Structure formats: structure tokens, C-alpha cells
Amino acid sequence: MRTTRIDIEGRAGHYATISRKPGARVIEIAVLTPGQPGPVGGGETFNVDATNEDSQRYAAARLQKRLDGYQGAAGDIADYLRAIQTFAD
């Protein structure tokens, strides 16, 4: 079994998709918000190094802030980090 994608919903209208293509060195995170609808031509996409835990932590904090609307503490970010690390090496 292989997880290919995780969809996350934050506050109303704020969504993200976390995925990694086979053989890719990066984890892709696509964020859709009311101010940046998508998927074609909208939203925000950023890549995370699949081998770098610091990069993954930064991405989790960034994702949490985009979806929840505030800068969280370690406990707030932990669930997002676990989702990202599902695709990490």
C-alpha cells in the first residue's frame, strides 16, 4: 500500500493537498483559500525537501498558518507535520 495524497481542511474554505510523485525528491503542498481559489491558475503551491526535517517543520508551520489563520505553537503544528512526514524519506 502507498499513500498518494492527503487532503486537509482548515477553517472554512481553506484546503490543502499534500502529495509526492514516485521518485520525486520533494513533497508538494497545494493550498487553496478563498483569496486564492484554484486549482488551475489559483492557490499556492510549495515544495518541501523529502529528506530534510527542518524543511518539513517549516512547511508544517507555514501550512498551519495558512489553513488555521494564526501562527500556532508546537502542538498546533504537530498534526500538519505528521501529515507531511507521511511522504518523507
Side-chain angles (χ1 to χ4, degrees):
M1 181 182 85
R2 185 172 85 86
T3 302
T4 59
R5 179 175 114 170
I6 295 176
D7 294 324
I8 299 173
E9 181 178 359
R11 62 193 153 126
H14 293 73
Y15 305 93
T17 299
I18 305 170
S19 62
R20 182 176 178 192
K21 293 182 171 82
R25 296 183 65 185
V26 296
I27 301 164
E28 184 177 281
I29 301 175
V31 180
L32 302 174
T33 63
Q36 294 179 308
V40 178
E44 170 188 18
T45 301
F46 52 98
N47 294 322
V48 181
D49 186 336
T51 63
N52 185 309
E53 190 171 338
D54 288 336
S55 175
Q56 296 160 21
R57 286 186 189 283
Y58 175 79
R62 184 175 176 187
L63 181 59
Q64 182 273 326
K65 186 173 182 179
R66 296 284 191 289
L67 295 185
D68 294 343
Y70 63 91
Q71 185 171 337
D76 297 316
I77 295 167
D79 291 333
Y80 292 100
L81 180 59
R82 275 192 293 278
I84 291 169
Q85 288 178 335
T86 300
F87 299 97
D89 287 341

